[in-house]
Amino acid sequence: MRKKLLILFLASLLISCAGNKNKVNVYIWSDYLSPDVIEKFERETGISVNLDTYDSNEALLEKLQTGVSKYDVVVPSDYMVQILTKQNLLQKIDKQKIPNLRYINKKFLNQEFDPENNFSVPFFWGTTGFAYRKDKLGEVPNSWQTLFDEKYAGKILMLDDMRECFAVALKLLGHSINETDTTVLLKAKDLLMKQKKLVKQYNSSGFDQAILSGDVWIAHGWSGQLVKISETDTNIVYVLPKEGGTLWIDNLAIPKSAENVENAHKFINFLLKPEISARVSEFSGYATVNDSAKKFINPQYLTPQRYPDDETLKNFELMKDLGKVTRLLDRFWTEIKSQ
Ligand code: N2P
C-alpha cells in the first residue's frame, strides 16, 4: 500500500513538473488577446496559456511588488516600464529569441522609457480621449471641458485611473500631463474634486459598455474600445480633445520572477508575427506597432480614428514616471475618490 502511494506521489510530481514546463502565465490588459490567437499558440507550441487580466498599470505594479503570483509575460505602458525597471522587477529580454522584433516600426523603439529596449517590446499604441452619444448631446464637443460641464451631471464616466484623470485636468489647465509643480497639481486636484459630483462612475473596465448602453452619455477612455464601438454604432463618436492628452505605448515584458522564461520569449515572438499582430489589433481596436502586420489588417480598420496622424497628435504626450511626485498624486487621488 505504502509503495503504491509513493509511486502515485512520484508520478503526480512528474506530471506537475512537466505541466510547469509547458505553460506560460500571462498578465495583460483585458480585451487585448482574442481566444483564437491563444488557441493557435497552444496548438503550435504545446504550451498552455494561463491568462489573467488587469485594467490599470498600478494594479500590475502592485501584483509584481507583492510577488504573490508568478507571471511570465506582462504588458506595462511606457511610464510603468520605467517604474518597473527602476524597481528591478523586470528581466532583460534575450533579443536573439525574438527574431520578429524586426517587424516593429522603428519609431516605437528606443523610447526614453527603455532606451535600448532591453526590458520591453512595443506591442500596441493608442490615445486617451472621450466618446459621446450624438443623440444626447446637442453639440459637437472637441474639448475636455465637456467632461466638466454641469449640464451633464450624472452622465459622465471617468477612467478609474489616477494618471489619466490628472492628465485630463492638467491639459485643461494648459499644462503637460507630466507636470510636477505642486501648485499646478493642487489646481488639477481641485478641478477633479469639483468634477466628482458630476461623475457617475470611475470605471476602466466597462467604460465602453456604459456608453453603449446609454448609462452615461460621455465616457473618458482608451481609443481601441471606444473606436470599436463607434464603428458599429454611428451614434457614438470618439473625440481627441483639442487640448491634447495621453498618447501611450503598451509593451511586452518579462518579470524578474518569471518561472517560464523560455516560454515567455516564445509567446512574445509569436505575438509579433505579422498575421498574429494583425488579428489582435483588429480584435482589440488598438493600433499595431508592427508595420508588416498592416497588410493583413482589413483596410476598414486602418482608419484615422485608429491611426491618428502626427498633426492630430501634436498636443498628445507619453506619460513619464514622476518619481517622488507620484506619492503626492496618490494622496490627492485618494482624497478625490474618498470625498
Ligand atoms: C485597456 C487597454 C488600454 C491601455 N483595455 C492603455 N495603456
Side-chain angles (χ1 to χ4, degrees):
M1 183 65 186
R2 265 204 134 144
K3 217 170 165 187
K4 239 188 196 164
L5 272 178
L6 189 70
I7 290 171
L8 264 176
F9 173 73
L10 287 176
S12 68
L13 207 67
L14 261 177
I15 290 168
S16 77
C17 282
N20 263 345
K21 254 184 98 185
N22 268 329
K23 68 182 181 192
V24 62
N25 298 316
V26 179
Y27 196 39
I28 189 166
W29 294 90
S30 56
D31 308 320
Y32 263 19
L33 297 181
S34 57
D36 57 308
V37 158
I38 311 246
E39 277 161 31
K40 194 167 169 23
F41 176 76
E42 291 182 328
R43 251 195 337 266
E44 278 181 18
T45 61
I47 299 167
S48 63
V49 179
N50 295 327
L51 206 66
D52 268 351
T53 59
Y54 56 85
D55 284 299
S56 84
N57 279 297
E58 286 65 27
L60 166 62
L61 174 63
E62 204 183 313
K63 267 278 169 71
L64 294 186
Q65 280 173 333
T66 58
V68 277
S69 323
K70 299 263 184 275
Y71 292 110
D72 304 311
V73 177
V74 294
V75 190
S77 305
D78 31 67
Y79 74 104
M80 192 48 71
V81 171
Q82 258 177 320
I83 296 176
L84 294 175
T85 317
K86 275 190 202 161
Q87 299 194 16
N88 205 17
L89 290 166
L90 296 180
Q91 61 177 276
K92 263 196 164 184
I93 288 173
D94 184 346
K95 292 181 194 161
Q96 305 286 3
K97 294 187 176 148
I98 322 267
N100 293 337
L101 263 172
R102 67 181 185 275
Y103 295 122
I104 294 178
N105 182 328
K106 301 248 176 318
K107 80 172 189 203
F108 296 102
L109 294 171
N110 310 324
Q111 296 282 329
E112 200 182 312
F113 60 83
D114 187 10
E116 288 168 30
N117 288 97
N118 283 332
F119 298 95
S120 65
V121 176
F123 182 46
F124 280 148
W125 70 277
T127 53
T128 311
F130 68 87
Y132 70 95
R133 292 185 66 92
K134 271 202 264 181
D135 59 344
K136 300 292 184 190
L137 267 67
E139 57 176 322
V140 179
N142 69 348
S143 162
W144 289 118
Q145 195 57 54
T146 313
L147 280 70
F148 295 76
D149 191 331
E150 307 251 338
K151 65 176 181 287
Y152 301 124
K155 294 296 173 196
I156 296 168
L157 179 150
M158 292 296 285
L159 284 172
D160 190 6
D161 190 300
M162 174 179 87
R163 288 296 307 268
E164 291 287 16
C165 286
F166 271 91
V168 171
L170 286 166
K171 280 296 187 190
L172 207 43
L173 293 167
H175 293 273
S176 159
I177 64 171
N178 296 308
E179 181 62 61
T180 54
D181 183 277
T182 312
T183 328
V184 177
L185 293 176
L186 260 169
K187 280 191 198 145
K189 180 189 90 169
D190 287 345
L191 204 55
L192 293 171
M193 281 277 202
K194 275 200 218 104
Q195 184 206 26
K196 192 181 174 186
K197 62 178 188 300
L198 314 177
V199 175
K200 178 155 194 200
Q201 313 176 26
Y202 292 90
N203 182 342
S204 300
S205 51
F207 55 91
D208 46 351
Q209 293 311 313
I211 189 162
L212 201 55
S213 69
D215 198 26
V216 296
W217 299 351
I218 306 162
H220 176 216
W222 291 303
S223 48
Q225 283 145 281
L226 293 180
V227 167
K228 220 163 82 163
I229 57 171
S230 76
E231 288 166 349
T232 50
D233 184 339
T234 53
N235 189 30
I236 292 171
V237 183
Y238 180 63
V239 180
L240 290 175
K242 62 169 194 268
E243 298 88 358
T246 312
L247 172 71
W248 50 260
I249 303 173
D250 284 354
N251 310 271
L252 300 157
I254 307 178
K256 196 126 220 177
S257 56
E259 287 175 338
N260 304 289
V261 177
E262 201 58 34
N263 291 351
H265 284 90
K266 283 189 188 150
F267 191 66
I268 292 175
N269 196 48
F270 175 82
L271 289 180
L272 299 187
K273 279 189 188 177
E275 306 90 294
I276 300 298
S277 286
R279 171 70 193 126
V280 289
S281 168
E282 283 187 351
F283 168 85
S284 66
Y286 290 101
T288 185
V289 298
N290 189 323
D291 271 355
S292 310
K294 287 202 175 156
K295 59 177 174 294
F296 295 101
I297 294 179
N298 185 329
Q300 82 181 92
Y301 298 125
L302 294 172
T303 60
Q305 287 283 81
R306 290 192 183 214
Y307 294 86
D309 60 21
D310 291 348
E311 174 57 22
T312 315
L313 293 175
K314 67 176 187 298
N315 295 324
F316 284 71
E317 304 168 73
L318 285 177
M319 278 178 186
K320 291 184 184 156
D321 169 24
L322 301 182
K324 286 200 196 89
V325 174
T326 309
R327 234 173 294 154
L328 181 71
L329 276 196
D330 274 332
R331 214 181 68 217
F332 287 169
W333 184 237
T334 311
E335 275 178 52
I336 295 163
K337 292 294 292 291
S338 62
Q339 102 180 299

